[in-house]
Amino acid sequence: KDFSYCILQKNNIFGCDAKIPTMPKVEPMKNFRGVPLTQEMARKILVGHLDDSYGFDDVGKTDISWKVAAGANVAYDQFPSQNQIFYESANKKDMWYDPVFRVETIDGRNVWCKRHYKVRSAKVPGTFRFSVLDNGVTSNEFWTIVAAADDLSWIVFHYAGAATSVGQRYLGGLVCTADGTLPPESARKEIWPKLQSAGIEPWELFVCDNRSDTPGAIAAGEPPLDYYRKTILTKQQSK
């Protein structure tokens, strides 16, 4: 990690300069619950189902915001047991995003991996800028809330990202729900056109295995969902 940060991120010895893809141009949702979407509402949509005072009061409260039901990026969206946690930062200005997901290692072990993204609001409601330091390399991403059900039973994300110093650019999309199961067929009729508007076809999706009773899930144990958030909550309470 320190070595990668030194030679790649800090000194950029390969001279890479990858930029976040700007195509396709993905439009965020315009309305939510019958009114024009504001960035405050969009932030609450991110918080989703998390038991957090900042979220919507009429949504069931759990220990996560969303679970990934299916994703369209072969590098990122095939991991099983994908949990998303969105919450406000201690200063209440920005947000944090903590994905917690299970990895099956080449030697057969099942372990939990986690990341800690800074989330800043972009200019248009429903769009956000994410950044994370991952194994010594910074990735920057542009996320869009493409659509969400009024009852938050499902949400569609699109993301475009770049790890500038290693010359990597990527695109992806996610369909998320409260429990990680695919939305019912009736909802998919609304979801599929939204995905297509973001340049993603339904057949490109990888279904995420969120079952908790598989041998791999049992071997991994309980996911460390509050690994980062507990520190932020302590800071919030001290203010």
Side-chain angles (χ1 to χ4, degrees), residues 3 29 42 59 61 88-89 100 114 187 206 232:
F3 181 69
M29 60 188 294
V59 177
K61 301 299 185 179
E88 277 193 308
S89 62
V100 180
K114 52 195 177 297
F206 299 92
I232 303 300

Side-chain angles (χ1 to χ4, degrees), residues 1-224:
K1 179 179 177 180
D2 292 340
F3 181 69
S4 296
Y5 178 79
C6 178
I7 67 168
L8 297 175
Q9 189 63 43
K10 186 176 180 180
N11 294 292
N12 193 9
I13 63 170
F14 297 118
C16 296
D17 189 28
K19 305 294 185 184
I20 295 175
T22 57
M23 295 296 290
K25 183 175 175 56
V26 179
E27 295 292 332
M29 60 188 294
K30 303 299 184 186
N31 299 286
F32 182 67
R33 296 183 174 179
V35 298
L37 182 72
T38 65
Q39 195 66 335
E40 181 74 8
M41 294 166 62
R43 287 162 59 104
K44 290 178 178 288
I45 291 172
L46 289 185
V47 173
H49 302 268
L50 182 66
D51 188 2
D52 188 282
S53 60
Y54 184 68
F56 289 106
D57 293 332
D58 58 349
V59 177
K61 301 299 185 179
T62 69
D63 54 3
I64 60 166
S65 297
W66 300 95
K67 275 184 175 288
V68 176
N73 186 297
V74 66
Y76 300 103
D77 300 331
Q78 294 189 73
F79 292 112
S81 308
Q82 293 197 45
N83 304 280
Q84 296 183 319
I85 301 101
F86 290 94
Y87 53 97
E88 277 193 308
S89 62
N91 64 16
K92 305 290 186 178
K93 180 181 178 181
D94 300 315
M95 298 183 71
W96 292 105
Y97 164 51
D98 301 343
V100 180
F101 51 96
R102 183 163 54 88
V103 172
E104 299 171 354
T105 65
I106 58 175
D107 60 356
R109 294 176 297 118
N110 277 265
V111 298
W112 290 106
C113 290
K114 52 195 177 297
R115 299 292 184 268
H116 192 46
Y117 286 73
K118 189 75 169 181
V119 181
R120 297 176 175 87
S121 295
K123 292 182 179 180
V124 179
T127 61
F128 299 87
R129 296 193 177 277
F130 288 39
S131 61
V132 64
L133 183 63
D134 184 359
N135 290 318
V137 175
T138 297
S139 292
N140 294 295
E141 301 177 355
F142 187 83
W143 281 54
T144 302
I145 301 178
V146 181
D150 283 351
D151 61 358
L152 295 188
S153 55
W154 57 264
I155 189 170
V156 176
F157 291 113
H158 179 271
Y159 60 86
T164 299
S165 63
V166 294
Q168 181 186 30
R169 307 199 312 163
Y170 49 92
L171 295 167
L174 301 170
V175 177
C176 303
T177 59
D179 61 2
T181 59
L182 284 171
E185 190 64 38
S186 57
R188 294 179 209 176
K189 294 178 180 178
E190 181 180 356
I191 292 171
W192 295 161
K194 299 299 184 181
L195 278 170
Q196 290 168 328
S197 74
I200 298 171
E201 295 294 337
W203 53 264
E204 296 181 80
L205 296 175
F206 299 92
V207 176
C208 183
D209 184 359
N210 287 300
R211 293 174 297 169
S212 60
D213 58 352
T214 64
I218 294 172
E222 291 297 317

